[in-house]
């Protein structure tokens, strides 16, 4: 015999409503007993991301075990690097010449930045403490050329400076799932520099003092043929000052 389609459809709809009502009732009973909080998908995604990567814990895990040991073992003399550079009267050097130097003394990132891990000593001859991006100019032992060696002295380091992170190869270790994590790590590494190497620096009384240091610097070369090397800004990981 034949069935009534309209009657069957009505029965299906009634069954679905009953099931939905039961599910809602169960959820309300559970909520009344255990409680719940309504959150957006964006909040959930952000929570997962925050829990997945903690830049402070990340740097805690590498500072003593990877960053400082790498600098102790692999630094090169800054004077030797600068003596290889031959800037013109405007302080610019040909990119092709800088590539040869970077391949010998440093590394070249995927973004064509030349990154060096260096050490040096000398005497502080000038200080710029007029902004939060303070620097100290060092008359470098073993170098008397035109390039100025500038050491960041705080209380800030440029937010886009990732010299220390890149110099130790941290960006290539596969530690990061996303580019944002890499950037957060670089920022926290710079904070660690400020709280350790630069924590006790008296910016107002540095001129004339002897200094020895270890640190890193970056020369950006992307889409350039002649690069300004008149000043080399160095992020220090260790500083020792004399009297």
């Amino acid at each position: 015999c034949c069935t009534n389609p309209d009657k069957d459809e009505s029965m299906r709809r009634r069954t679905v409503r009953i099931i939905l009502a039961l599910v809602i009732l169960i959820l309300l009973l559970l909520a009344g007993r255990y409680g719940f909080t309504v959150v957006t998908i964006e909040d959930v995604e952000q929570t997962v991301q925050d829990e997945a990567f903690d830049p402070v814990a990340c740097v805690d895990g590498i500072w003593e075990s990877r960053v400082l040991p790498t600098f102790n073992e692999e630094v090169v003399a800054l004077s030797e690097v600068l003596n290889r550079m031959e800037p013109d009267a405007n302080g610019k050097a040909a990119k092709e010449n800088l590539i040869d130097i970077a391949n010998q003394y440093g590394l070249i990132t995927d973004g064509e930045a030349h990154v060096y891990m260096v050490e040096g000593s000398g005497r502080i001859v000038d200080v710029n403490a007029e902004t939060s991006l303070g620097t100290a100019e060092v008359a470098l032992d073993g170098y008397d050329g035109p390039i100025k060696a500038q050491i960041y002295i705080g209380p800030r380091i440029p937010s886009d400076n990732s010299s220390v992170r890149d110099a130790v190869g941290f960006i290539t270790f596969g530690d990061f799932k996303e580019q944002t994590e890499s950037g957060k790590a670089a920022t926290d590494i710079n904070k660690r520099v400020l709280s350790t190497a630069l924590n006790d620096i008296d910016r107002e009384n540095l001129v004339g003092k002897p200094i020895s240091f270890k640190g890193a610097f970056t020369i950006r070369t992307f889409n350039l043929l002649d690069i300004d090397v008149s000043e080399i800004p160095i992020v220090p990981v260790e500083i020792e000052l004399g009297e």
Side-chain angles (χ1 to χ4, degrees):
C1 83
C2 297
T3 59
N4 187 331
D6 293 336
K7 184 177 180 181
D8 289 344
E9 180 65 23
S10 177
M11 288 289 293
R12 282 195 293 269
R13 290 180 179 176
R14 187 178 298 113
T15 301
V16 169
R17 286 197 293 269
I18 292 172
I19 292 173
L20 288 175
L22 289 173
V23 170
I24 292 172
L25 179 61
I26 292 171
L27 290 175
L28 289 174
L29 290 172
L30 291 174
R33 182 171 182 179
Y34 299 107
F36 68 90
T37 302
V38 176
V39 296
T40 65
I41 293 176
E42 290 78 8
D43 289 338
V44 173
E45 290 177 345
Q46 185 61 49
T47 299
V48 171
Q49 185 178 27
D50 291 343
E51 290 178 351
F53 182 74
D54 181 349
V56 176
C58 174
V59 176
D60 281 342
I62 61 147
W63 188 255
E64 297 287 344
S65 64
R66 287 164 67 173
V67 175
L68 295 183
T70 302
F71 272 88
N72 289 335
E73 296 169 4
E74 300 182 17
V75 289
V76 299
L78 177 59
S79 58
E80 190 171 346
V81 176
L82 298 189
N83 277 317
R84 287 284 309 277
M85 297 181 182
E86 299 179 353
D88 60 20
N90 297 316
K92 293 186 176 182
K95 180 176 180 176
E96 59 183 19
N97 294 335
L98 295 180
I99 289 175
D100 292 338
I101 300 170
N103 284 330
Q104 181 174 355
Y105 295 101
L107 61 86
I108 300 177
T109 70
D110 291 339
E112 298 184 17
H114 299 183
V115 187
Y116 295 86
M117 190 165 21
V118 296
E119 64 181 353
S121 61
R123 188 171 296 273
I124 297 174
V125 295
D126 191 23
V127 169
N128 176 10
E130 295 179 0
T131 72
S132 59
L133 298 175
T135 56
E137 181 183 343
V138 178
L140 197 64
D141 294 337
Y143 178 73
D144 58 3
I147 302 174
K148 294 182 179 180
Q150 304 276 9
I151 309 291
Y152 282 116
I153 56 174
R156 287 199 311 117
I157 294 171
S159 59
D160 63 345
N161 192 304
S162 58
S163 298
V164 175
R165 181 201 67 188
D166 297 348
V168 297
F170 192 31
I171 195 171
T172 65
F173 287 170
D175 297 272
F176 307 117
K177 297 178 181 178
E178 300 179 1
Q179 185 64 30
T180 55
E181 294 182 358
S182 176
K184 289 177 182 178
T187 297
D188 207 77
I189 284 173
N190 289 344
K191 289 180 180 178
R192 192 61 53 95
V193 167
L194 293 170
S195 65
T196 55
L198 299 175
N199 184 47
D200 298 323
I201 293 293
D202 181 359
R203 301 199 308 160
E204 305 300 328
N205 296 286
L206 291 175
V207 175
K209 289 190 174 183
I211 182 175
S212 60
F213 60 87
K214 292 177 182 176
F217 71 90
T218 299
I219 298 175
R220 291 185 170 90
T221 71
F222 180 72
N223 208 28
L224 297 171
L225 295 178
D226 296 308
I227 292 90
D228 187 353
V229 293
S230 58
E231 294 186 356
I232 298 296
I234 300 161
V235 180
V237 297
E238 293 180 7
I239 284 182
E240 292 185 11
L241 294 170
E243 296 298 331

